[in-house]
Amino acid sequence: MNKKFAIAALLLIVMTTAGCADKSSAQSAQEVTLDVTQSKTVTAATVVEPQQTAEASVSAAEVKKRTIEVFFSDPQGEKLDKAGVQISFSTPAEKYTEAFKALQQSDNAELIPLWSKEIELKSVHFKNGALTLDIHMPDTARLGSGSEILAVDAFTWTLFQFAEVKTIDLLVDGKQLESLMGHADLEHPMTRGK
């Protein structure tokens, strides 16, 4: 009798855990938000509590890898060049976060990042084709007028390669600024094809 009770209890725990995993993974792909203000680095790894073990193994299996085109300045600061960069993500919000982080680093001396590592990505929100990124940009990360235009182009060209993104709104500390760095107009929102 005790064996039957133990097996029934174990079966109930497994079913409950599986049900929780299904509910958490059922978040709509139409709206995702990622708040990264709590930590400057965003990774797919999470702290796993003992009761979340089954859910964590499901999430680990859903990590996707994709090679995207990321745009950088040439050494003379005259034009943009692209490079294929592999990103890993498990949610749409992480995909956009990883694409933004790819804009901030290059291993090639001929490809100069226009988005400083000092620029902090505070949040990412995507709903119905509208992507909104909120950043914090210190004065030391600001560029001259020509480089500012290239930086905005690098940003939009990198993020508009995702077919589901129809518009992008770039906020600085939660505000829609007229200009990102004081030299060129910044549209709210930026639309594909402009």
Side-chain angles (χ1 to χ4, degrees):
M1 184 72 168
N2 285 339
K3 283 185 178 180
K4 287 182 182 180
F5 180 72
I7 292 172
L10 182 59
L11 185 57
L12 180 62
I13 290 170
V14 170
M15 290 173 56
T16 303
T17 304
C20 290
D22 288 342
K23 288 178 187 173
S24 66
S25 64
Q27 178 182 13
S28 170
Q30 291 297 316
E31 180 175 3
V32 292
T33 302
L34 179 63
D35 185 1
V36 293
T37 56
Q38 303 301 323
S39 171
K40 290 196 176 196
T41 57
V42 177
T43 62
T46 57
V47 177
V48 178
E49 299 295 327
Q51 65 269 23
Q52 294 176 331
T53 305
E55 183 177 343
S57 63
V58 170
S59 296
E62 295 175 1
V63 172
K64 299 173 185 135
K65 292 183 185 242
R66 178 174 171 181
T67 298
I68 63 169
E69 292 180 347
V70 180
F71 293 85
F72 302 96
S73 173
D74 68 331
Q76 295 75 33
E78 298 173 350
K79 64 179 182 143
L80 292 177
D81 291 322
K82 65 182 172 183
V85 176
Q86 187 174 65
I87 60 171
S88 299
F89 58 94
S90 57
T91 67
E94 283 181 359
K95 176 173 62 175
Y96 309 129
T97 299
E98 292 302 312
F100 181 83
K101 287 169 47 176
L103 283 165
Q104 296 179 295
Q105 57 193 1
S106 170
D107 295 332
N108 185 335
E110 298 295 310
L111 300 172
I112 313 300
L114 294 163
W115 290 83
S116 166
K117 288 185 179 181
E118 296 176 322
I119 298 173
E120 175 190 349
L121 180 60
K122 296 171 67 175
S123 68
V124 175
H125 181 82
F126 179 78
K127 182 177 181 181
N128 298 329
L131 177 62
T132 302
L133 288 90
D134 186 12
I135 63 170
H136 171 73
M137 182 172 45
D139 289 338
T140 55
R142 297 184 187 280
L143 304 170
S145 62
S147 295
E148 177 184 358
I149 292 168
L150 287 177
V152 171
D153 284 346
F155 174 80
T156 57
W157 294 357
T158 297
L159 292 169
F160 274 133
Q161 73 186 290
F162 302 115
E164 69 275 13
V165 176
K166 305 300 180 205
T167 64
I168 303 171
D169 202 2
L170 181 61
L171 308 178
V172 179
D173 295 320
K175 299 176 185 168
Q176 291 182 338
L177 300 182
E178 291 181 20
S179 176
L180 182 62
M181 300 177 191
H183 306 290
D185 291 340
L186 186 60
E187 294 178 30
H188 297 284
M190 295 172 269
T191 56
R192 182 183 293 278
K194 283 191 176 183

